[in-house]
Amino acid sequence: MLALVARGRTNAEIAADLFIGLTTAKTHVASLLAKIGARNRVEIAMWAYDTGRVGD
């Protein structure tokens, strides 16, 4: 999930890639926001790259 968000995928694209419902994808993104204290998807991506959780 983190890698997909960091790569700029939309909720619909994430849901399709992971074979989950759109609502489930949105819930997971919201959980990521809360867990790392990010305000938006851009901050999720920055955190993921800064901490080495995803690569180039």
Side-chain angles (χ1 to χ4, degrees):
M1 179 65 64
L2 177 62
L4 294 172
V5 172
R7 289 184 175 88
R9 306 287 284 178
T10 66
N11 289 338
E13 291 168 337
I14 291 170
D17 289 347
L18 299 179
F19 303 102
I20 60 176
L22 180 58
T23 303
T24 302
K26 289 179 182 180
T27 299
H28 285 303
V29 171
S31 293
L32 278 173
L33 289 165
K35 284 179 184 179
I36 65 171
R39 292 178 293 205
N40 54 49
R41 296 168 79 97
V42 173
E43 286 188 2
I44 291 175
M46 289 173 33
W47 179 86
Y49 283 100
D50 288 347
T51 61
R53 302 271 191 319
V54 294
D56 296 327

